């Protein structure tokens, strides 16, 4: 069995997730480059955490992971109905990103907790993204795409995105 997007007895209070393996760097498509990331807020007892984040970027045979404490507890996270921005640092690298889509590109799904509480999953398969990887002693890497999968999880049901199921 599998429970996707669950944290304990319920879904996250809110989250943003993105994945893409089709980027452009300096005007050229970059086969083999990929990104995956997640920021989520979860309930721990009566409290809700700030956004906790992890991400990885693979480019030119090298994988840059942002999954240690410094990255996970980044204060530079913003999640809206149609946009996710972040800045994650680990070791000598910083990854900043902006993932976004027009609202008409999103489809809404209804996720129900065992308690009956509802989380709306807003999913866009053709979102835009701009990522920048800054590394100590190396030139910055700038990646762009219009083929990002972006998912926003929200308990605010006033988002205006059609909920299909």
């Amino acid at each position: 069995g599998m429970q996707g997007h669950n944290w304990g007895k319920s879904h996250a209070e809110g989250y943003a997730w993105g994945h893409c393996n089709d980027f452009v760097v300096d005007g050229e498509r970059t086969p083999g480059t990929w990104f995956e990331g997640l920021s989520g807020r979860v309930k721990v007892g009566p409290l809700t955490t700030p956004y906790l984040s992890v991400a990885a970027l693979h480019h030119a045979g090298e994988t840059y992971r942002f999954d240690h404490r410094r990255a996970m507890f980044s204060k530079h996270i913003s999640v809206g109905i149609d946009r996710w921005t972040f800045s994650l640092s680990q070791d000598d690298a910083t990854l900043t990103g902006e993932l976004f889509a027009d609202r008409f590109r999103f489809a809404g799904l209804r996720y129900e907790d065992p308690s009956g509480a509802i989380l709306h999953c807003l999913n866009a398969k053709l979102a835009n993204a701009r990522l920048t990887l800054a590394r100590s002693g190396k030139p910055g890497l700038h990646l762009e795409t219009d083929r990002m999968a972006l998912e926003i999880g929200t308990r605010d049901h006033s988002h205006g995105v059609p909920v299909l199921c």
Side-chain angles (χ1 to χ4, degrees), residues 111-124:
Y111 288 177
E112 187 172 341
D113 291 344
S115 70
I118 302 299
L119 175 89
H120 282 179
C121 166
L122 312 179
N123 189 297

Side-chain angles (χ1 to χ4, degrees), residues 18-29:
H19 173 83
C20 185
N21 61 359
D22 189 4
F23 285 97
V24 172
V25 176
D26 297 328
E28 299 289 326
R29 295 246 174 247

Side-chain angles (χ1 to χ4, degrees), residues 90-112:
Q90 187 164 307
D91 302 328
D92 65 346
T94 298
L95 179 65
T96 59
E98 180 181 28
L99 286 62
F100 58 97
D102 291 327
R103 295 222 182 151
F104 73 87
R105 292 196 178 268
F106 285 91
L109 304 169
R110 178 184 150 105
Y111 288 177
E112 187 172 341

Side-chain angles (χ1 to χ4, degrees), residues 61-141:
E62 213 169 332
T63 302
Y64 301 90
R65 295 175 51 158
F66 299 88
D67 57 0
H68 292 154
R69 186 181 318 255
R70 183 172 171 210
M72 188 176 291
F73 292 99
S74 174
K75 303 263 189 271
H76 305 286
I77 308 296
S78 176
V79 177
I81 297 304
D82 54 8
R83 180 174 309 270
W84 173 33
T85 60
F86 59 85
S87 181
L88 306 175
S89 295
Q90 187 164 307
D91 302 328
D92 65 346
T94 298
L95 179 65
T96 59
E98 180 181 28
L99 286 62
F100 58 97
D102 291 327
R103 295 222 182 151
F104 73 87
R105 292 196 178 268
F106 285 91
L109 304 169
R110 178 184 150 105
Y111 288 177
E112 187 172 341
D113 291 344
S115 70
I118 302 299
L119 175 89
H120 282 179
C121 166
L122 312 179
N123 189 297
K125 295 299 186 199
L126 293 172
N128 297 293
R130 292 186 287 264
L131 303 176
T132 300
L133 178 66
R135 301 161 287 179
S136 180
K138 296 182 180 179
L141 176 65

